[in-house]
Amino acid sequence: MTVPVRAGNRNVALIDLLDRVLAGGVVVSGEITLSIADVDLVHVSLRTLITSITALQPHG
């Protein structure tokens, strides 16, 4: 099953996009702050790396 995804001006199959992401890796980051009455109570910062195991192994 191929699901087309628009990347700029061309269509890319979703499986090709996933293959590129896993081969090169991607970092997802975000922050959440919970506050009440302008007082910050909880701040969560998240950074994660999504890649394949073979992309992390040294070549040689």
Side-chain angles (χ1 to χ4, degrees):
M1 180 176 134
T2 303
V3 179
V5 177
R6 291 193 60 78
N9 292 332
R10 61 184 186 145
N11 289 333
V12 178
L14 183 58
I15 191 69
D16 293 335
L17 181 63
L18 184 61
D19 185 51
R20 289 182 187 180
V21 166
L22 292 178
V26 63
V27 175
V28 178
S29 65
E31 295 183 1
I32 298 173
T33 302
L34 300 176
S35 61
I36 296 176
D38 290 331
V39 177
D40 294 343
L41 299 176
V42 176
H43 180 84
V44 177
S45 180
L46 172 70
R47 290 189 184 107
T48 185
L49 172 66
I50 299 173
T51 187
S52 66
I53 292 173
T54 57
L56 293 176
Q57 293 176 340
H59 299 283

